[in-house]
Amino acid sequence: MVTTADLGDFVLRWQPDVASVAVRRLTLAAMVDAEASREGAEIAPGAVEAAAGAALGERVRRLRIEHGSGADIDELLRSTYGRTLDGLRDDFRRAVRTDLLRERLARLDGLRRDGVELRVVVAPDERTARAIASQWRDGADAALFVARLGLRPPAAPPPVAIEDIPERPLRERLASAPSGSVLDPVPFEAEDPERPGDVTTWWQVFKVIRAWKASSDPWSVVAAQVEASIRESPPSDEETAAWEQRAARRLRLARWTPASGFGASPPDGTIRRP
């Protein structure tokens, strides 16, 4: 009889890429649980249920495409995957809870540090950039006047912690900029999209929509603010990845590699720390 240990050994030996994906997902779930417990953060059951229902519906749709519209999905899951429809729904509940909490913890972590929320317009030259900054300061609608100039509308990047801004001069300027302020244009080098391979100087104009100092308020106080922020600007892959790195350092987690193998499972199911 094939055991789970046999399966695990086979996957580690012959499909280490699959093992790495599984370990990452297991580690992420444990890390999210630990950080959510530390912060007292939780997701509304209705939000989890809605996301899980949508994921399950998509999986059922794909199964019907593959096996026919009249397929008995519950029987198909039992015979092919050893799962039930209810069991699969439970799996999706756990998975989407992890994903939703990760987004909220990443955004919450930003509130724990000094940060800013910005709008950014990119101009092709300094003169145009200074005209944009002047009109923006005077209260003009940026989307309208940059459209008249043939430029892209203001970008709305996710809120960012001051310490995560790589350019020191810009970081120092934003650290002291109040909400509503428009900074003088900032030059940067980038490829010209109309001349691939040619690097040219562009100019960025930043407006500080909101600036904040690090908050220690509990989740119960800031939850509504976090939810509103996510609705307006969903976390990027870069934002959640940066949070994972900070959380891993807080939990003193080491990256797993096939060479390091596995230790025995702790009896209480907590995260193993090196």
Side-chain angles (χ1 to χ4, degrees):
M1 178 179 181
V2 176
T3 67
T4 53
D6 295 329
L7 175 61
D9 183 68
F10 180 90
V11 171
L12 286 170
R13 288 175 183 274
W14 300 104
Q15 296 179 312
D17 53 334
V18 174
S20 294
V21 171
V23 168
R24 159 158 167 70
R25 188 66 195 181
L26 290 169
T27 302
L28 176 63
M31 186 164 62
V32 165
D33 284 344
E35 287 288 279
S37 178
R38 181 178 66 84
E39 289 283 9
E42 190 47 272
I43 301 294
V48 173
E49 197 64 33
L56 181 65
E58 175 59 20
R59 178 64 60 85
V60 169
R61 185 187 70 82
R62 287 161 50 192
L63 288 171
R64 291 196 184 282
I65 291 174
E66 182 178 355
H67 298 278
S69 59
D72 184 330
I73 299 299
D74 203 51
E75 178 57 33
L76 179 64
L77 289 171
R78 289 176 187 274
S79 61
T80 307
Y81 304 104
R83 309 292 293 136
T84 66
L85 197 58
D86 287 341
L88 186 59
R89 186 186 296 275
D90 288 339
D91 291 342
F92 277 124
R93 287 191 185 104
R94 288 189 290 271
V96 300
R97 177 182 178 274
T98 294
D99 292 339
L100 293 174
L101 270 175
R102 177 180 55 172
E103 292 181 345
R104 282 145 184 81
L105 289 167
R107 188 57 53 83
L108 174 63
D109 204 47
L111 295 180
R112 298 300 187 220
R113 303 180 294 159
D114 294 353
V116 289
E117 181 179 356
L118 303 168
R119 296 294 181 270
V120 188
V121 171
V122 176
D125 56 73
E126 183 178 8
R127 181 178 178 181
T128 301
R130 291 196 176 280
I132 291 171
S134 177
Q135 292 186 58
W136 220 347
R137 290 189 185 110
D138 290 341
D141 186 319
L144 292 178
F145 68 73
V146 298
R148 289 197 294 269
L149 294 172
L151 303 177
R152 293 182 178 180
V160 62
I162 295 294
E163 65 187 66
D164 289 343
I165 298 171
E167 300 84 1
R168 181 176 178 180
L170 179 59
R171 183 169 65 243
E172 292 175 347
R173 291 172 66 188
L174 287 173
S176 58
S179 298
S181 60
V182 177
L183 274 61
D184 288 336
V186 178
F188 70 101
E189 303 294 319
E191 185 176 84
D192 188 333
E194 296 183 359
R195 293 178 295 178
D198 287 353
V199 175
T200 187
T201 299
W202 300 83
W203 294 79
Q204 295 179 102
V205 183
F206 295 92
K207 180 172 184 177
V208 179
I209 301 301
R210 182 169 56 93
W212 67 89
K213 295 299 181 182
S215 171
S216 59
D217 290 337
W219 172 255
S220 58
V221 173
V222 300
Q225 180 182 349
V226 171
E227 295 290 350
S229 175
I230 288 176
R231 285 193 298 271
E232 183 173 345
S233 178
S236 65
D237 292 340
E238 292 78 11
E239 183 180 359
T240 53
W243 169 79
E244 288 179 30
Q245 293 178 359
R246 292 192 297 272
R249 288 195 295 268
R250 280 193 291 269
L251 294 166
R252 293 184 297 161
L253 295 179
R255 181 180 177 85
W256 177 84
T257 64
S260 64
F262 290 97
S265 298
D268 59 356
T270 58
I271 293 178
R272 292 294 298 266
R273 300 185 183 184

